[in-house]
Amino acid sequence: LEAQVLDMLHLLERTGRLELPANFTKGTAVLSKGYQPGFQKFVLLMEKDPSLKFRLETYAEPNMKPADQRLLLRERALTLLETLADMGADKRRFSTAPGDATKETAVPRGIVRLSAVDSVTEE
């Protein structure tokens, strides 16, 4: 586990972000099972380096109105925040400001993106 956390840290240093598998029930902010191992490693990473701060992003659903999509992305980000906090992560080290789902940087389906940021502003 220690080696996997170090691999995660090296990836973060190289790319500035981590992408972890996490699926939501279609059209909802309900996490499906299977996300726990990656999230646990991520929480350990945060414990190892208390200076790390992240922006949480998740994937959008196709064929939704933009306003509905923004609301769903925000609800999913809040679910991720609560889930990570329940696992021991410090909520104050996250931002849940959604990215632009229409851009090339949109998060792929089934993925949670954690992008390193210099500072976190309160939502």
Side-chain angles (χ1 to χ4, degrees):
L1 190 62
E2 183 79 22
Q4 293 171 337
V5 171
L6 286 175
D7 287 345
M8 199 179 260
L9 180 60
H10 292 305
L11 180 63
L12 180 62
E13 288 172 350
R14 274 196 328 273
T15 65
R17 69 183 190 205
L18 297 170
E19 292 186 343
L20 304 176
N23 280 296
F24 289 89
T25 303
K26 186 175 180 169
T28 74
V30 177
L31 270 171
S32 301
K33 292 180 182 177
Y35 64 86
Q36 293 91 339
F39 281 30
Q40 287 168 338
K41 290 176 209 164
F42 176 72
V43 170
L44 285 173
L45 172 69
M46 289 189 73
E47 289 172 6
K48 290 207 170 295
D49 189 342
S51 70
L52 292 173
K53 295 180 175 116
F54 295 90
R55 184 178 71 238
L56 282 169
E57 294 178 275
T58 187
Y59 60 92
E61 294 288 347
N63 305 321
M64 287 181 80
K65 293 178 187 173
D68 293 339
Q69 215 172 56
R70 280 190 300 276
L71 178 62
L72 182 59
L73 287 171
R74 184 151 187 83
E75 288 173 353
R76 286 180 172 178
L78 291 173
T79 294
L80 292 170
L81 181 63
E82 291 302 322
T83 300
L84 287 164
D86 289 346
M87 296 174 93
D90 181 354
K91 282 182 171 183
R92 295 170 297 184
R93 294 169 59 189
F94 293 98
S95 166
T96 57
D100 186 344
T102 63
K103 290 193 175 178
E104 250 181 61
T105 59
V107 179
R109 181 166 182 75
I111 295 292
V112 170
R113 182 176 293 151
L114 299 136
S115 300
V117 293
D118 291 332
S119 64
V120 172
T121 55
E122 287 297 315
E123 294 296 311

